[in-house]
């Protein structure tokens, strides 16, 4: 038997898709863990049908995973067009083409049972789709997935996925023994018969690959002694909530936030906490606020539509200076929108969604690793500043898996204890420091601190009042805390050179793709840099200074902006991406945006292309002129 | 409260350390003759009688005339937003189950904007005293119809009379799974009000009390001219709410077994005469916060870290 020829590569992106329920997800998880064990850096993205039981053998039924694996241990985003796709049927394959996810020369591995299927419609559509791919320059490997699996089981539905992952193991020159170990772990708790069969099928897939593949890939890992974990952002949030010392998470189910609550529900009681599933999102934040008021800062997790329902309670948290943390795992909007897909469209709502002037802190993790740490930061700020902190995650972070350094859990500080020591009678509930607006709060149970906490305007003594002077003071003090926090923030680091032609500004989960695009652009000799904002409110210091070192500044965001070329759109009525709005207002600089709503993460190459397009338009204009303030208003 | 009543109370509770004044905060700003004054006084008496440390009680309210009550009570108080007292109260109970909680709401607050929370709070059965001060109108916003505004009543939003029959909160409560305590009383029956709030305080679980409340400003003729011509029947049981003989001038007494849910449901649907007293009580229904606290572990710091480490193991790949 001649072994397949090995081709060494620095990285690859592979997609595995089947009908919902056929197990491509499981196969992908096993494959990702196999790669992780080998030391490959990786990022995975779930491919999820929007419906629970879509009709089989349709594009809407495609379910699976995209896996980007690399030699380097750090992979920061989902990558570019996929190099390999393994599909259980041609409609699943077609769905990836429609998603604009595959390279033209993608290597397609597809179950060949449809070529000779008794249903003529399947035969015809199989031939059509395969032809379509050939015409684009793809290589097609027709695999007897169904037939080979049937040699080991009666119902191929229950095993094709394991055969497939064995085949991938051969395709990527991985160790089949490690794969089988991974499978045993994944199937832990299933009967011995089921586990043994899965292991056997994976072995069979592997052997089939060795015997039949002409070439295979090798993506060597850079060995490291640093222990690594692989998890998705919602799991990271759940573990991070525990590490942050929260005791209560109150929520109402909503995609794509729910799985964070699932992960937390699984564990929280063992750690002395619990998840309360409230009757709606309003109650969910109300319960969290009540718990926070009672002295134990709580958390509520939701997504866009739920954020809308929480708006009034946000105002209450701000007015009463009750520490509180909201996580918004953003999805496509408005309304029900694209429930399972990524968008970064809640920034302005997070900043301004609560009626009245409601200053609050808004943070956004940019990696899955940051999802783990961010809730500790959020909680600390909420408590020290007596503020509402909103954490903006998104569907990309929520369901993607990333490999990162295992957090040192032994560095987790103990949960803070309630301080119920007496205070002097007449202690002020809002003893605002006149410079910073900061004050110590009183907690039920503290002798001497009795009094009402009210949603009405109030002064230092907490009592309702309606006059101008005390209304102005309340507003100023609540707002001042943001300035006090801003003074403690660091100037953001510029990725690339600190000055040049084009600066890309991002926030949230687009960081990896933006920085990779910058690296590619710089590698090709273009003067492009980027800066990433973790704090959206308050904005970090030094932005204007950083921006004015470049000729053009554009935000890169996954939200809607009007195309300047579209009918009726003028400079006067054009709507910008959300961060662009914020930065234009904050700096009075003419900041543009690359803001779009594809319902999937940006690929680095898309950002690169946009950067090159902008640079090309700039070259035609007069030479080096730095970005200056908008005329007449600076 | 009259000086004599205060004296006699002090005598009964001579061993106790708190006085009624200990529960006084700023002077109430309700209108003269408003039924809310009486509810405040009754609450202060029950706190005094149980010798509750003022720092250990939490009074939570929504928005409305009635929801101002925590401003006037010298405990910890949270005057929140319209309709949302119950989620906040639930949050306090879930995180600090050692603190007694009293939730105070208006009829619009509880039955209309807060309706969803109302029904679910009864099912959670948190251990709290829940008082609805039902003046059958939106008072703070100046006389709009509420869900309990009487048939045909003219308000600013129904100038030609209401369109719908009023909601019966008692039957709604009795229809909820896990209901554990339901009573009805009125602000013009102070002795009955006192006894009812005391009973509610003593109950373990969510004690839901609908208090028919006089609003002489917007509803001067409601409740039969403020109770004068208002048909009531007092529910009588040896473990029920005591019926002071003077009350019998207002209406007859009728035997009622508040431990029998079917009987309670039957009584709850009658509105004329209005049943006064304890409709239902079942102290066996577990309180939600206690279920949750019983099921959660209380790991020490070491164990906490070990468990987090073990959780991390599940995701460790190399
Ligand atoms: C979200 C919201 N909607 C409306 C209001 C206006 N509002 C304040 S109190 C109230 C009704 C008060 O009626 P009720 O709850 O019966 O209390 P009462 O004043 O009669 O004691 C309304 C509609 C508000 N404060 N918040
Ligand atoms: S308006 Fe009515 S309910 Fe409000 S304080 Fe006056 S009497 Fe009481
Ligand atoms: Mg009312």
């Amino acid at each position: 038997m001649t072994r397949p020829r090995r081709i060494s590569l620095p990285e690859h992106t592979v997609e595995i898709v089947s009908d919902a329920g056929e197990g491509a997800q499981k196969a992908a998880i096993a494959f990702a863990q196999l790669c992780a064990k080998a030391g490959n850096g990786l990022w995975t993205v779930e491919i999820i049908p929007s419906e629970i039981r879509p009709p089989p053998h349709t594009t809407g039924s495609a379910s699976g995973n995209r896996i980007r694996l690399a030699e380097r241990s750090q992979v920061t985003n989902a990558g570019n067009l996929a190099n390999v796709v393994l599909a259980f049927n041609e409609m699943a394959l077609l769905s990836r083409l429609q998603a604009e996810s595959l390279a033209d020369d993608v290597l397609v591995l597809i179950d060949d049972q449809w070529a000779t299927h008794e249903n003529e419609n399947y035969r015809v559509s199989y031939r059509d789709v395969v032809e379509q791919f050939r015409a684009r320059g793809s290589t097609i490997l027709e695999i007897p997935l169904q037939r080979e699996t049937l040699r080991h089981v009666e119902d191929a539905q229950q095993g094709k996925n394991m055969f497939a992952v064995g085949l991938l193991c051969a395709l990527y020159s991985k160790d089949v023994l490690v794969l089988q170990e991974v499978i045993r772990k994944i199937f832990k708790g299933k009967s011995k018969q089921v586990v043994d069969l899965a292991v056997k099928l994976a072995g069979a897939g592997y052997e089939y690959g060795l015997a039949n593949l002409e070439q295979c890939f090798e993506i060597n890992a850079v060995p490291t002694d640093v222990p690594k974990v692989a998890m998705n952002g919602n799991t990271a949030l759940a573990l991070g909530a525990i590490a942050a010392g929260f005791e209560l998470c109150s929520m109402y189910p909503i995609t794509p936030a729910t799985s964070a609550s699932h992960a937390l529900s699984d564990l929280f009681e063992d750690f002395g906490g619990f998840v309360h599933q409230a009757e709606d999102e309003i109650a969910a934040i109300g319960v969290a606020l009540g718990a926070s008021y009672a002295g134990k800062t709580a958390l509520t997790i939701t997504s866009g539509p739920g954020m809308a329902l929480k708006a009034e309670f946000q105002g209450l948290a701000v007015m009463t200076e009750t520490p509180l943390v909201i996580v918004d795992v953003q999805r496509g909007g408005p309304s029900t929108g694209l429930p399972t897909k990524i968008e970064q469209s809640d920034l302005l709502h997070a900043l301004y969604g609560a009626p009245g002037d409601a200053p609050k802190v808004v943070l956004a993790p940019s990696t899955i690793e940051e999802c783990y740490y961010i809730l500790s930061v959020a909680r600390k700020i909420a408590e020290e500043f007596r503020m509402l902190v909103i954490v903006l995650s998104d569907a990309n972070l929520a369901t993607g898996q990333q490999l990162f350094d295992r957090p040192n859990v032994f560095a987790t500080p103990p949960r803070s204890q309630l301080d119920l020591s007496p205070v002097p009678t007449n202690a002020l509930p809002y003893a605002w420091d006149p410079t910073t607006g900061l004050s110590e709060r009183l907690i039920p149970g503290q002798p001497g601190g009795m009094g009402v906490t009210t949603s009405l305007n109030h002064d230092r003594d907490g009592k309702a009042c309606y006059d101008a002077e005390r209304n102005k003071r309340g507003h100023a003090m609540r707002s001042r805390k943001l300035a006090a926090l801003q003074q403690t923030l660091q100037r953001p680091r510029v990725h690339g050179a600190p000055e040049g032609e084009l600066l890309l500004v991002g926030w949230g989960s687009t960081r990896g793709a933006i920085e990779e695009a910058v690296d590619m652009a710089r590698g090709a000799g273009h003067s492009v840099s980027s800066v990433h904002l973790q704090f959206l409110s308050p904005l970090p210091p030094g932005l204007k200074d950083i921006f004015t070192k470049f000729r053009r500044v554009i935000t890169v965001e996954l939200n809607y902006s009007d195309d300047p070329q579209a009918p009726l759109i003028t400079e006067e009525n054009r709507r910008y991406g959300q961060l662009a709005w914020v930065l234009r207002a904050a700096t009075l600089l003419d900041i543009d945006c690359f803001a779009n709503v594809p319902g999937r993460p940006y690929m680095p190459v898309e950002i690169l292309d946009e950067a090159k397009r902008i640079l090309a338009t700039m070259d035609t204009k007069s030479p080096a002129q730095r970005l200056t303030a908008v005329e007449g208003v600076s | 409260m009259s000086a004599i009543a205060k004296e006699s109370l002090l005598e009964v509770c001579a061993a106790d350390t708190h006085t009624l004044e200990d529960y006084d905060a700023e002077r109430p700003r309700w209108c003269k003759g408003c039924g809310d004054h009486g509810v405040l006084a009754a609450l202060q008496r029950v706190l005094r009688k149980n010798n509750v440390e003022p720092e250990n009680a939490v009074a939570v309210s929504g928005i409305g005339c009635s929801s101002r009550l925590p401003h006037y009570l010298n405990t910890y108080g949270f005057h929140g937003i319209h309709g949302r007292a119950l989620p906040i109260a639930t949050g306090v109970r879930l995180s600090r189950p050692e603190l007694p909680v009293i939730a105070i709401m208006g009829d619009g607050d509880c039955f209309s904007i807060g309706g969803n929370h109302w029904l679910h709070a009864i099912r959670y059965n948190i251990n709290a005293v829940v008082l609805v001060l039902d003046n059958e109108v939106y008072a703070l916003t100046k006389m709009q119809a509420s869900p309990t505004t009487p048939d045909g009543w003219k308000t600013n939003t129904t100038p030609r009379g209401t369109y719908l029959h009023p909601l019966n909160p008692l039957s709604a409560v009795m229809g909820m799974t896990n209901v554990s305590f339901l009573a009805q009383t009125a602000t013009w029956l102070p002795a009955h009000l006192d006894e009812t709030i005391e009973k509610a305080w003593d109950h373990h679980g969510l004690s839901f009390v609908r208090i028919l409340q006089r609003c002489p400003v917007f509803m001067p003729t409601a409740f039969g001219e403020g109770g004068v011509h208002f048909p009531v029947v007092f529910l009588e049981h040896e473990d029920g709410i005591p019926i002071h003989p003077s009350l019998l001038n207002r209406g007859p007494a009728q035997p009622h077994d508040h431990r029998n849910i079917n009987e309670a449901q039957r009584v709850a649907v009658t509105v004329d005469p209005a049943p006064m007293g304890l409709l239902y009580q079942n102290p066996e229904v577990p309180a939600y916060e206690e279920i949750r606290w019983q099921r959660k572990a209380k790991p020490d710091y070491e164990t906490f870290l070990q468990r987090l480490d073990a959780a991390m193991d599940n995701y460790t790949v190399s």
Side-chain angles (χ1 to χ4, degrees):
Chain A
M1 178 172 92
T2 52
R3 295 249 156 185
R5 188 161 39 89
R6 284 196 181 185
I7 302 170
S8 270
L9 296 164
E11 70 160 271
H12 235 208
T13 300
V14 50
E15 295 193 346
I16 311 172
V17 274
S18 67
D19 263 349
E22 283 187 318
Q25 299 261 8
K26 262 255 157 72
I29 291 169
F31 182 64
Q33 292 201 3
L34 171 67
C35 297
K37 275 207 183 298
N40 292 118
L42 53 93
W43 186 289
T44 75
V45 183
E46 276 180 29
I47 299 160
I48 324 166
S50 299
E51 291 157 35
I52 296 284
R53 278 274 158 245
H57 215 107
T58 59
T59 50
S61 173
S63 159
N65 251 282
R66 151 182 275 247
I67 301 152
R68 184 186 194 192
L69 65 152
E71 229 170 46
R72 60 189 185 282
S73 68
Q74 273 284 359
V75 174
T76 62
N77 66 86
N80 297 305
L81 297 170
N83 312 95
V84 172
V85 56
L86 191 163
F88 288 28
N89 68 60
E90 81 287 354
M91 296 314 278
L93 176 63
L94 186 62
S95 76
R96 301 316 296 157
L97 192 63
Q98 290 172 350
E100 302 173 350
S101 195
L102 307 176
D104 286 348
D105 63 352
V106 64
L107 170 65
V108 176
L109 301 145
I110 184 159
D111 189 349
D112 70 359
Q113 62 160 314
W114 313 107
T116 54
H117 199 272
E118 57 184 23
N119 181 333
E120 192 193 336
N121 292 339
Y122 289 170
R123 292 200 303 273
V124 171
S125 109
Y126 177 80
R127 244 174 297 147
D128 284 355
V129 172
V130 166
E131 264 327 299
Q132 205 177 326
F133 272 80
R134 277 215 179 89
R136 286 164 49 96
S138 312
T139 306
I140 311 282
L141 289 185
E142 295 178 275
I143 309 288
L145 192 55
Q146 173 89 0
R147 254 180 302 136
E148 287 293 325
T149 307
L150 281 178
R151 290 169 44 168
H152 305 276
V153 284
E154 264 170 33
D155 178 6
Q157 255 1 46
Q158 307 295 322
K160 269 193 287 193
N161 59 340
M162 288 298 110
F163 188 89
V165 71
L167 179 60
L168 284 179
C169 180
L171 183 64
Y172 284 94
S173 320
K174 298 290 184 202
D175 186 342
V176 72
L177 295 178
V178 179
L179 173 64
Q180 288 171 329
E181 185 192 315
V182 163
I183 291 173
R184 284 185 195 284
K185 204 171 149 196
I186 291 176
F187 282 84
K188 198 171 65 187
K190 293 268 159 68
S191 75
K192 180 167 168 359
Q193 207 186 348
V194 170
V195 179
D196 287 349
L197 188 62
V199 165
K200 187 167 157 203
L201 281 164
Y206 181 75
E207 291 303 328
Y208 176 89
L210 287 193
N212 294 283
L213 292 169
E214 278 172 26
Q215 59 176 39
C216 64
F217 310 117
E218 190 171 38
I219 296 160
N220 283 323
V222 182
T224 160
D225 323 330
V226 185
K228 301 275 180 191
V229 288
M231 63 180 78
N232 68 34
N234 274 357
T235 304
L237 281 172
L239 291 171
I242 293 170
F246 286 100
E247 285 172 58
L248 177 70
C249 169
S250 166
M251 50 69 71
Y252 186 82
I254 184 165
T255 306
T258 318
S259 65
S261 319
H262 293 178
L264 196 53
S265 301
D266 258 355
L267 296 169
F268 216 7
E269 288 184 342
D270 295 338
F271 290 86
F274 48 79
V275 173
H276 168 68
Q277 180 178 328
E279 58 270 26
D280 59 31
E281 281 92 347
I282 302 178
I285 185 172
V287 166
L289 182 106
S292 292
Y293 159 72
K296 296 185 183 174
T297 307
L299 171 76
T300 181
I301 302 184
T302 190
S303 188
M307 277 300 274
L309 293 182
K310 291 178 196 294
E312 195 193 4
F313 257 118
Q314 287 185 29
L316 181 63
V318 171
M319 182 55 118
T320 57
E321 303 192 45
T322 307
L324 186 63
V325 177
I326 305 177
V327 176
D328 173 6
V329 184
Q330 299 166 97
R331 64 189 222 177
S335 195
T336 311
L338 296 176
T340 59
K341 307 247 159 99
I342 184 191
E343 227 170 77
Q344 297 178 302
S345 295
D346 293 347
L347 175 60
L348 292 179
H349 185 277
L351 290 170
Y352 307 119
D357 184 59
K360 64 188 81 73
V361 178
V362 180
L363 296 174
S366 63
T367 62
I368 289 168
E369 184 175 14
E370 279 177 22
C371 288
Y372 177 78
Y373 294 102
I374 202 150
L375 288 178
S376 292
V377 177
R379 178 176 178 160
K380 195 156 185 262
I381 294 172
E383 289 180 346
E384 282 185 15
F385 290 79
R386 293 181 72 170
M387 285 190 92
L388 169 64
V389 180
I390 297 176
V391 174
L392 291 175
S393 181
D394 63 44
N396 179 28
L397 295 172
T399 57
Q401 294 221 18
Q402 189 192 20
L403 202 66
F404 59 90
D405 290 355
R406 179 181 161 124
N408 175 13
V409 302
F410 294 102
T412 309
R415 249 187 209 135
S416 48
Q417 297 295 310
L418 282 181
D419 177 6
L420 297 179
S421 45
V423 292
T425 326
N426 299 330
L428 296 173
Y430 301 98
W432 293 314
D433 176 293
T435 309
T436 62
L438 296 176
S439 61
E440 288 272 343
R441 68 197 181 114
L442 303 171
I443 291 169
Q446 272 190 291
M450 292 80 72
V452 73
T453 298
T454 180
S455 56
L456 284 163
N457 180 60
H458 48 261
D459 199 12
R460 296 158 59 85
D461 61 6
K463 298 211 160 65
C465 53
Y466 309 91
D467 57 285
E469 188 194 330
R470 287 183 290 178
N471 187 44
K472 287 184 198 162
R473 181 157 52 235
H475 274 85
M477 292 291 93
R478 292 189 294 272
S479 180
R480 192 71 54 75
K481 296 186 289 183
L482 269 187
L485 174 60
Q486 192 265 357
Q487 303 256 317
T488 70
L489 300 183
Q490 285 177 359
R491 182 185 160 108
R493 187 183 57 81
V494 177
H495 182 83
E499 54 181 36
E501 297 288 304
L502 175 63
L503 180 73
L504 309 178
V505 190
W507 66 281
S509 71
T510 50
R511 177 179 205 148
I514 294 173
E515 293 187 352
E516 196 168 316
V518 166
D519 293 343
M520 287 191 281
R522 298 190 72 79
H526 298 294
S527 173
V528 182
S529 300
S530 69
V531 72
H532 211 76
L533 305 183
Q534 194 183 36
F535 277 83
L536 286 319
S537 168
L539 288 168
L543 289 185
K544 192 162 183 171
D545 191 42
I546 292 170
F547 294 173
T548 49
K549 302 275 188 319
F550 292 84
R551 278 178 68 197
R552 287 287 299 275
V553 176
I554 65 163
T555 64
V556 177
E557 316 178 56
L558 284 163
N559 51 42
Y560 182 78
S561 66
D562 286 325
D563 176 353
Q565 312 303 327
L568 306 185
I569 300 305
T570 66
E571 192 44 51
E572 216 172 39
N573 66 17
R574 178 169 173 224
R575 296 173 65 240
Y576 285 82
Q578 300 197 359
L579 180 64
W581 277 127
V582 173
L583 294 179
R584 288 169 73 87
T587 63
L588 292 180
L589 296 173
D590 190 8
I591 292 162
D592 206 334
C593 61
F594 174 51
N596 220 327
V597 283
R600 56 160 174 79
Y602 279 134
M603 295 183 210
V605 285
E606 282 174 285
I607 301 171
L608 175 67
D609 288 348
E610 177 67 11
K612 287 202 261 188
R613 192 191 64 74
I614 294 171
L615 288 169
T617 61
M618 286 163 63
D619 286 344
T620 62
K621 289 198 188 134
S622 59
Q625 214 194 351
R626 301 273 171 250
L627 191 71
T628 51
V630 176
E631 247 171 65
V633 279
S634 62
Chain B
M1 173 170 164
S2 78
I4 299 162
K6 210 182 259 182
E7 293 281 70
S8 61
L9 254 176
L10 282 177
E11 231 165 86
V12 177
C13 319
D16 294 342
T17 50
H18 286 292
T19 65
L20 278 171
E21 283 75 20
D22 289 349
Y23 303 100
D24 272 347
E26 61 184 271
R27 225 178 114 235
R29 308 224 192 138
W30 290 305
C31 309
K32 192 156 171 273
C34 173
D36 293 348
H37 291 284
V39 179
L40 173 65
L43 257 180
Q44 291 176 322
R45 281 195 287 269
V46 87
L47 292 170
R48 160 79 175 78
K49 186 155 184 206
N50 288 279
N51 200 32
V52 177
E53 298 298 339
E55 67 267 21
N56 284 342
V58 181
V60 180
S61 65
I63 293 291
C65 289
S66 38
S67 287
R68 286 299 180 94
L69 195 145
H71 285 261
Y72 313 135
L73 191 65
N74 189 35
T75 60
Y76 278 84
F78 200 100
H79 176 215
I81 49 179
H82 194 32
R84 318 296 172 196
L86 288 170
I88 298 171
T90 305
V92 175
R93 289 293 307 163
L94 279 177
S95 76
R96 299 279 307 278
E98 73 277 17
L99 300 174
V101 168
I102 306 147
I104 300 114
M105 294 171 283
D107 43 321
D109 218 25
C110 182
F111 306 144
S112 189
I113 189 168
N116 197 22
H117 311 314
W118 170 38
L119 298 182
H120 287 276
I122 290 164
R123 180 166 165 254
Y124 296 139
N125 191 42
I126 56 164
N127 190 6
V129 174
V130 176
L131 309 178
V132 175
L133 280 58
D134 188 351
N135 52 9
E136 304 190 337
V137 73
Y138 286 12
L140 187 71
T141 44
K142 303 200 178 352
M143 202 172 69
Q144 298 82 24
S146 98
T148 51
T149 301
D151 253 329
W153 207 270
K154 291 186 171 128
T155 72
N156 285 322
T157 45
T158 57
R160 299 174 191 194
T162 57
Y163 311 99
L164 297 170
H165 292 312
L167 174 102
N168 178 353
L170 303 183
S171 61
V173 170
M174 280 317 302
M176 277 311 289
T177 303
N178 276 352
V179 54
S180 76
F181 184 104
L182 175 65
Q184 177 157 267
T185 183
T187 56
W188 61 88
L189 307 171
H192 194 260
L193 175 67
D194 269 12
E195 297 281 6
T196 306
I197 291 183
E198 219 176 295
K199 195 90 192 160
W201 181 273
D202 291 340
H203 174 70
H204 183 90
L206 191 143
S207 340
F208 189 86
V209 185
R210 181 191 186 202
I211 304 173
L212 304 178
Q213 176 232 321
R214 290 195 55 204
C215 168
V217 172
F218 294 120
M219 301 291 277
T221 58
F223 305 119
E225 317 284 330
V228 187
H229 315 292
F230 189 67
V232 294
V233 55
F234 293 98
L235 304 177
E236 187 172 29
H237 191 277
E238 55 179 348
D239 294 328
I241 287 153
I243 306 165
H244 196 269
S246 66
L247 289 174
L248 297 172
N249 302 334
R250 302 288 191 150
Q254 161 194 305
H256 172 71
D257 183 359
H258 56 259
R259 295 162 309 194
N260 180 332
I261 193 160
N262 296 320
E263 206 174 309
Q265 283 171 336
R266 192 180 49 74
V267 170
V269 295
T270 62
V271 285
D272 187 10
M276 291 287 166
L278 183 57
L279 279 90
Y280 184 65
Q281 184 173 22
N282 178 1
E284 304 301 318
V285 184
Y288 176 67
E289 66 274 34
E290 286 163 17
I291 298 172
R292 300 306 310 259
W293 273 72
Q294 272 156 18
R295 293 213 196 154
K296 74 176 192 170
K298 283 133 203 115
D300 58 23
Y301 181 44
E302 275 305 303
T303 316
F304 181 93
L305 293 181
Q306 274 156 14
R307 287 184 182 170
L308 193 52
D309 197 46
M312 210 52 88
D313 282 347
N314 289 332
Y315 300 95
T316 301
V317 285
S318 55

